[in-house]
Amino acid sequence: MKLFECQSCGNVLYFENTTCNKCGHRVAYMPERTAMTAIEPMADDVRWVPLADIDQPRFLCENAQYDVCNWLVPPGTSDAYCLACRHNRIIPNLSDPAQHAAWKLMEMAKHRLFYSLLQWKLPLKTTVEDPAHGLSFEFLADPLQFGPKVLTGHDEGKIVISLVEANDAEREKRRLAMGEPYRTLLGHFRHEVGHYYWDVLVRNGNRLDACRAVFGDDSQNYEEALQRHYQQGAPANWQDNFVSAYATTHPWEDFAETWAHYLHIVDTLEMVAASGMTVRPKIDKTGEYSARIDFNAYRADAIEPIVEEWLPYVFAMNNVNRAMGLADLYPFVIAPAVAAKLGFIHGLVHGKV
């Protein structure tokens, strides 16, 4: 993720800002420029003039009226929804304040996901463009009384996200019950879209053999593998070959977990570079724990510099978190075998596999 600025006053903005806290201008995100822009209303009270591109008036996403989106629709169109919101298939009951608030948190995470996907120009067909396999999102609440609880998951492009995951207390309860070191909304989105891109880029992209050579034979029964994982847990020494315990369940989950971690790492390194952070511990005599990002992680030619720079930064950030009495920011180990799997994902998103 980059740092952004207000074109009106130069104030630094967050990706989720809808107004500049300094000058009060309304602001919006322009995905085709990966930039935030201050915007001003036109006389028709429908279109907006981006100060970053004053010659091309634009529409705000329809979901801006619900305070869940701050993106502009594609230029030169009258589309109702932005590039991220056009994939929504089912949204929550907006008459319920709790569901509305949960959806806003969901959209903040989802838009960060789309920031990354658009960086790599990955396929993003809607269900209108591809009814059978288009990417869609359903934000569902558990039934009030009877019926099964909503399970977050993916099926042929349809990603279901349980609204209860937006509740910090409930998500932490589930994290502990599942024995997970990390569980976030953004992590859910990145993991589930990994399943989608396994379908699109691996299965439908004639890369099955290459993927199986790295992640194993995905033809093994998934339900049996899942049941075995929950009954027996991860195998001994799993950290030598997998990025998480859940990744040991089945090659599909290994791929999705590795995909999610690749996005975690690349997006964080972009922010590190944008913030001008340098890690140079005074007691580091070998340089092993020192790093300075001088490249765009989203455009890196290979996985090696990404992993090499990531380790010193995450060591430093974990120590900062511990100084605040918090859990590690990144409680995972990147073993050589895991780095190789990250390398496969890197090649996949850059069309080099």
Side-chain angles (χ1 to χ4, degrees):
M1 184 61 66
K2 295 166 57 177
L3 288 173
F4 304 100
E5 66 175 342
C6 172
Q7 281 75 25
S8 175
C9 68
N11 186 40
V12 178
L13 303 171
Y14 287 108
F15 182 63
E16 292 80 12
N17 277 139
T18 56
T19 58
C20 174
N21 293 330
K22 184 176 181 180
C23 69
H25 252 89
R26 185 154 190 171
V27 297
Y29 182 66
M30 305 172 69
E32 77 283 358
R33 291 194 177 197
T34 62
M36 295 286 287
T37 178
I39 56 176
E40 296 181 346
M42 295 190 68
D44 59 15
D45 288 329
V46 176
R47 293 173 298 169
W48 297 80
V49 176
L51 298 192
D53 188 7
I54 60 174
D55 295 325
Q56 194 165 43
R58 304 276 288 277
F59 292 92
L60 271 168
C61 178
E62 186 76 10
N63 283 334
Q65 66 181 307
Y66 306 118
D67 193 30
V68 299
C69 179
N70 66 343
W71 284 29
L72 295 168
V73 301
T77 74
S78 58
D79 293 353
Y81 297 99
C82 71
L83 292 175
C85 289
R86 68 180 188 149
H87 292 273
N88 290 352
R89 186 172 180 178
I90 299 178
I91 65 171
N93 176 8
L94 300 185
S95 66
D96 183 336
Q99 289 195 34
H100 190 173
W103 184 38
K104 181 174 182 178
L105 294 175
M106 296 280 184
E107 287 294 346
M108 290 168 64
K110 193 194 80 184
H111 280 68
R112 282 186 173 258
L113 167 69
F114 272 79
Y115 172 89
S116 298
L117 303 181
L118 292 168
Q119 287 279 310
W120 292 308
K121 296 180 172 59
L122 293 174
L124 283 168
K125 289 186 177 181
T126 65
T127 53
V128 173
E129 298 164 321
D130 183 355
H133 307 292
L135 178 63
S136 67
F137 295 88
E138 298 183 2
F139 304 97
L140 304 179
D142 287 336
L144 293 178
Q145 293 181 332
F146 305 105
K149 293 185 179 298
V150 175
L151 298 178
T152 295
H154 166 269
D155 182 24
E156 292 292 344
K158 181 179 76 174
I159 293 177
V160 174
I161 303 289
S162 173
L163 280 182
V164 74
E165 290 287 348
N167 183 302
D168 291 342
E170 179 60 30
R171 194 173 61 254
E172 177 65 6
K173 178 182 176 181
R174 295 185 179 196
R175 185 190 71 79
L176 293 172
M178 302 287 283
E180 299 171 341
Y182 170 92
R183 190 182 183 96
T184 67
L185 284 179
L186 184 53
H188 279 313
F189 279 101
R190 286 172 171 169
H191 174 96
E192 298 305 337
V193 90
H195 287 300
Y196 170 71
Y197 281 111
W198 186 92
D199 289 352
V200 173
L201 300 179
V202 176
R203 184 191 65 189
N204 301 341
N206 298 316
R207 296 182 176 97
L208 267 175
D209 289 341
C211 188
R212 286 170 176 169
V214 177
F215 292 95
D217 182 11
D218 56 90
S219 66
Q220 61 182 280
N221 187 284
Y222 177 78
E223 294 302 329
E224 291 179 1
L226 192 65
Q227 185 177 19
R228 183 170 58 251
H229 173 76
Y230 287 127
Q231 289 177 348
Q232 303 175 11
N237 302 321
W238 61 265
Q239 289 181 314
D240 293 341
N241 295 289
F242 299 91
V243 74
S244 70
Y246 189 61
T248 69
T249 304
H250 186 277
W252 288 342
E253 298 301 344
D254 192 10
F255 180 92
E257 282 286 89
T258 307
W259 174 281
H261 280 256
Y262 180 74
L263 268 63
H264 292 334
I265 292 168
V266 169
D267 200 52
T268 302
L269 284 181
E270 187 185 41
M271 177 53 70
V272 165
S275 301
M277 298 181 191
T278 298
V279 176
R280 190 176 299 167
K282 293 181 179 180
I283 64 171
D284 181 18
K285 302 298 192 297
T286 64
E288 181 179 358
Y289 296 98
S290 300
R292 179 178 179 274
I293 305 295
D294 58 3
F295 62 92
N296 183 339
Y298 277 100
R299 303 287 179 265
D301 292 331
I303 192 63
E304 288 76 15
I306 292 175
V307 173
E308 288 172 3
E309 299 300 319
W310 175 246
L311 297 178
Y313 278 106
V314 78
F315 179 74
M317 289 186 285
N318 283 349
N319 274 305
V320 169
N321 268 30
R322 293 184 185 196
M324 286 292 294
L326 300 173
D328 286 351
L329 179 72
Y330 187 78
F332 303 95
V333 175
I334 305 296
V338 174
K341 291 177 180 180
L342 289 168
F344 181 89
I345 303 297
H346 178 85
L348 199 60
V349 300
H350 288 282
K352 295 180 179 180
V353 173

